[in-house]
Amino acid sequence: MSRFLIAFLVALFVFSGDPGFAKAPKPMTNKDVISLVRAKISQDSILLAIEKSNPAFDTSATALIELNKQGVPDVVVQAMMRAEERPAAASRTPN
């Protein structure tokens, strides 16, 4: 009986899953990219972060003007725009 109870509790723990464990990563926003640029993170690192992100970028004309004013390089803005074009499932699949 006690072995059954232990096995049941272990199975319950393993298969119940922690809701925090399966959460998708926090979406990357324009504000995040601006923060990275201001922190002088290398352009290559920012591009890689965008590529691996769960994108939630605002690429409206107004937002693009603001990104330019904040000193975000064109190549980074273009990567943000490409990331928005990715299929939603692919952008959330862990690597």
Side-chain angles (χ1 to χ4, degrees):
M1 176 73 173
S2 65
R3 283 186 181 180
F4 174 76
L5 182 58
I6 292 171
F8 175 77
L9 292 175
V10 168
L12 183 63
F13 176 74
V14 169
F15 294 111
S16 67
D18 178 359
F21 182 80
K23 286 184 184 175
K26 177 183 167 251
M28 188 174 216
T29 64
N30 294 31
K31 185 177 176 180
D32 296 322
V33 172
I34 291 168
S35 294
L36 292 171
V37 169
R38 285 183 179 169
K40 300 195 186 302
I41 303 299
S42 76
Q43 185 171 292
D44 288 340
S45 294
I46 296 172
L47 292 172
L48 185 59
I50 291 169
E51 180 183 320
K52 296 196 172 285
S53 75
N54 177 15
F57 301 123
D58 177 359
T59 55
S60 66
T62 303
L64 295 177
I65 292 167
E66 183 61 27
L67 288 165
N68 184 274
K69 285 180 182 177
Q70 295 296 328
V72 177
D74 287 342
V75 69
V76 172
V77 172
Q78 291 165 6
M80 293 167 67
M81 294 170 81
R82 281 191 298 273
E84 282 293 297
E85 294 172 356
R86 291 191 313 236
S91 68
R92 293 186 185 101
T93 303
N95 293 336

